[in-house]
Amino acid sequence: MSSKNDMKLGLFIVCAGLVILLGKLGVFGFLGRALWPLLLLLPGLFLHALVFGRRLTPAALVPAGILTVYGLLFGLCNTWGWGLMAYLWPVLPLGVAVGLYEYSLFVSPRSGGLTAGAVILGIISLVLMFFSLLGTGIMYVLGAVLVLGGIWLIVGRSGGRNKWNRGW
């Protein structure tokens, strides 16, 4: 064998050994557990790129939107805990609404019924998300926002002057 072939064989053996060692140390298992939502997100983004690059028909936007939204949702839950799905489950129909809405924007001739259906499904998802989040600490945030908004209306807009005593 030539020295070039010996070098290739030696490099192959070193790479195979590293793969085996890293696998035994659990590196690939960790990467698989941590990064699997990318298996949904990346194809969704790739389909978007193909449609916008005019290599696929706009019909591919339906699965592209669904895969992208689901990849983001599952990535969020995979990072901060699957208990979030108790509150974020309305994102599942929202993914379908996003895909249908994207498709309705780029299909010709335009179908108003498809757009309206996608918007209605999206609104239903967002309303369900709001009701789902009512049981969490979001009510504290909503209360604080309302208090701050009221204070801003009372003090901030009038420049510190009392609007109520102007005419008296």
Side-chain angles (χ1 to χ4, degrees):
M1 253 199 290
S2 70
S3 65
K4 198 173 214 179
N5 286 340
D6 288 343
M7 182 108 148
K8 288 179 185 178
L9 180 63
L11 187 60
F12 175 76
I13 291 172
V14 167
C15 288
L18 282 174
V19 167
I20 290 171
L21 286 174
L22 291 174
K24 292 304 280 179
L25 292 172
V27 171
F28 298 122
F30 169 75
L31 291 176
R33 284 188 306 275
L35 301 177
W36 72 265
L38 290 177
L39 294 175
L40 297 174
L41 181 63
L42 293 177
L45 295 175
F46 185 65
L47 284 173
H48 277 101
L50 290 176
V51 170
F52 296 135
R54 302 199 189 279
R55 299 208 185 262
L56 285 178
T57 64
L61 286 172
V62 176
I66 293 170
L67 287 172
T68 302
V69 171
Y70 287 6
L72 291 171
L73 171 67
F74 294 152
L76 181 75
C77 289
N78 203 33
T79 303
W80 282 292
W82 286 95
L84 287 175
M85 276 304 276
Y87 308 105
L88 297 179
W89 64 266
V91 174
L92 295 172
L94 183 65
V96 176
V98 166
L100 289 174
Y101 185 72
E102 285 181 330
Y103 174 63
S104 73
L105 291 178
F106 291 98
V107 69
S108 63
R110 288 216 172 163
S111 171
L114 183 61
T115 304
V119 169
I120 289 170
L121 181 60
I123 289 171
I124 290 171
S125 287
L126 292 176
V127 167
L128 289 172
M129 175 84 71
F130 175 74
F131 285 123
S132 175
L133 292 175
L134 281 178
T136 66
I138 196 77
M139 291 309 290
Y140 293 108
V141 174
L142 180 62
V145 167
L146 290 174
V147 167
L148 292 174
I151 290 171
W152 179 75
L153 285 173
I154 293 169
V155 177
R157 290 186 68 190
S158 64
R161 296 175 302 191
N162 190 349
K163 297 191 298 188
W164 302 106
N165 293 329
R166 274 191 217 163
W168 299 11

